[in-house]
Amino acid sequence: MRPIQATIHLDALRHNLAVAKHRAPNSKVMAVVKANAYGHGLLRAAEGLSQADGFAVLELNEAISLREAGYLQTILLLEGLFDRTELVDAAKYDISIVVHCEQQIEMLEQVNLSTSTHVFLKMNTGMNRLGFIPETYASALTRLEKIKSVADITMMTHFATADEDAGIVAPLARFKEVTKGFDYPTSLANSAALLRYPASHSDWVRPGILMYGASPVSGQSAHALGLQPAMTFTSELIAVQVLQDGESVGYGQKFTAHKTTRVGVVACGYADGYPRHTPSGTAIAVDGQLTRTLGRVSMDMLFADITDIPDAAIGSQVELWGAQVPVDVIAEASGTVGYELLCAVAPRVPFKVIG
């Protein structure tokens, strides 16, 4: 069996949840576990986040899986429902739904439900993905108030620049102006807003990437924010090559040695979820020592410089990302974000749960 493995640390998930609760002590925490819990595994992550006040997912089958696993918390469908047949199942399993367009209100108006449902009404405050524009939000809220099957309403929005210099001042002001006078709970803060803007904490906060120990804020490391990585992606060296001055390694000969160089061949490649476009020189750890990658990432292998790690040999442990090599470091080198890398770990990689 190939030595590659992703380890999920339940204690890290618990720790990160505690950070969220500490930062927003007066809010309920809805842990975002969409996209198979950002690649960590829905039910694996839910175990570590079992003390969250709620879970947010994308698909109805994810929500039902959580219910059938025994989770009684609020479970929210972040994109709502896509057809009226789903509405019956959502009500049956007591799944809360985001309503972000007129068609979804029409579903609620037209379907005769035997049980009531919980609605999060979304306002578009500048993200321009989902939600009612401020000018139509009040009328949408009024329509929902008249629907007998709507048990309760939470007002929500999502910030486009909570992690950037632009911040949330303008969209938060817009949201507050439109909802002034409506006595409903609110849900505003994503991970970045939770950490940076206490004014956004309100009744519910919705941390996503924060839960998994990666940074939601550009320029600030997860460690500096007090977070712990919930995933460690590891493998081993499966071969060692010695390059002489002028020799190259890998496809395209993207690395050429200018001195005698020991190269460790790592059993991991882009088919495992390590990004192909990660440049030569990116951080990697071998036997607990930081070093660098060399050359181009292959489908099933990549290369590490072990020149200064004389004891490194076949079987030496390699950390691709985790506590020693933050996933955000790999993401930045690759021109992407940690979210993508965590979500992209391939199905062929075995997972282990500890803690």
Side-chain angles (χ1 to χ4, degrees):
M1 181 181 294
R2 290 176 80 228
I4 193 168
Q5 179 175 271
T7 301
I8 304 302
H9 305 273
L10 299 185
D11 286 344
L13 289 166
R14 297 184 189 106
H15 170 86
N16 298 333
L17 175 59
V19 170
K21 289 185 173 184
H22 175 74
R23 290 295 192 100
N26 299 315
S27 302
K28 291 184 284 187
V29 176
M30 182 176 294
V32 180
V33 292
K34 64 179 180 177
N36 198 29
Y38 290 42
H40 292 67
L42 176 63
L43 296 182
R44 287 191 290 263
E47 182 180 354
L49 300 171
S50 61
Q51 297 305 304
D53 302 291
F55 295 107
V57 297
L58 203 67
E59 299 179 358
L60 182 58
N61 63 351
E62 293 176 313
I64 292 173
S65 293
L66 287 169
R67 277 283 181 261
E68 291 182 340
Y71 293 98
L72 304 178
Q73 295 98 319
T74 296
I75 301 176
L76 177 65
L77 290 173
L78 287 169
E79 290 183 357
L81 300 172
F82 301 100
D83 62 65
R84 63 185 61 190
T85 60
E86 293 183 327
L87 187 53
V88 175
D89 282 337
K92 174 184 175 182
Y93 285 94
D94 191 26
I95 307 300
S96 302
I97 58 174
V98 166
V99 168
H100 61 78
C101 64
E102 185 171 340
Q103 288 81 356
Q104 291 176 329
I105 295 181
E106 291 173 354
M107 286 185 207
L108 289 164
E109 290 173 331
Q110 295 169 5
V111 176
N112 184 22
L113 296 173
S114 57
T115 55
S116 56
T117 190
H118 310 276
V119 169
F120 282 60
L121 181 63
K122 190 165 192 176
M123 185 190 301
N124 173 12
T125 54
M127 177 71 84
N128 291 317
R129 293 192 311 188
L130 303 178
F132 292 88
I133 60 174
E135 292 77 9
T136 63
Y137 191 81
S139 61
L141 186 57
T142 299
R143 285 179 68 182
L144 287 175
E145 289 175 325
K146 296 177 182 178
I147 300 173
K148 292 181 180 180
S149 61
V150 173
D152 50 57
I153 301 170
T154 299
M155 302 182 296
M156 73 178 295
T157 192
H158 191 64
F159 299 119
T161 54
D163 59 334
E164 299 178 5
D165 291 342
I168 68 165
V169 173
L172 180 59
R174 193 174 304 125
F175 181 87
K176 288 186 173 181
E177 179 183 1
V178 172
T179 59
K180 185 178 181 180
F182 291 109
D183 188 22
Y184 292 109
T186 58
S187 176
L188 308 174
N190 57 5
S191 290
L194 188 157
L195 293 171
R196 300 182 72 198
Y197 300 104
S200 71
H201 289 173
S202 68
D203 299 282
W204 284 98
V205 292
R206 305 188 309 274
I209 195 66
L210 181 162
M211 295 285 91
Y212 308 100
S215 176
V217 183
S218 178
Q220 284 190 274
S221 71
H223 178 74
L225 293 168
L227 305 174
Q228 297 178 1
M231 180 192 293
T232 303
F233 195 23
T234 59
S235 189
E236 295 179 4
L237 299 187
I238 58 172
V240 174
Q241 303 292 343
V242 178
L243 304 184
Q244 302 302 325
D245 184 11
E247 292 185 323
S248 301
V249 66
Y251 286 117
Q253 299 184 327
K254 296 300 181 181
F255 172 79
T256 300
H258 298 293
K259 62 178 183 179
T260 301
T261 303
R262 293 181 75 234
V263 178
V265 181
V266 184
C268 179
Y270 60 79
D272 299 296
Y274 194 93
R276 180 180 183 274
H277 48 281
T278 302
S280 184
T282 298
I284 193 169
V286 178
D287 281 346
Q289 298 184 57
L290 284 174
T291 183
R292 58 176 182 154
T293 62
L294 297 175
R296 178 178 287 170
V297 176
S298 302
M299 181 180 289
D300 311 302
M301 288 170 280
L302 55 85
F303 311 102
D305 186 351
I306 57 171
T307 306
D308 296 326
I309 312 176
D311 293 334
I314 292 174
S316 287
Q317 295 297 300
V318 176
E319 182 183 291
L320 301 151
W321 62 68
Q324 195 168 13
V325 183
V327 68
D328 297 314
V329 169
I330 311 304
E332 183 176 0
S334 306
T336 185
V337 290
Y339 305 68
E340 181 180 1
L341 302 191
L342 296 172
C343 290
V345 175
R348 77 180 191 176
V349 174
F351 277 74
K352 176 183 178 182
V353 177
I354 63 173

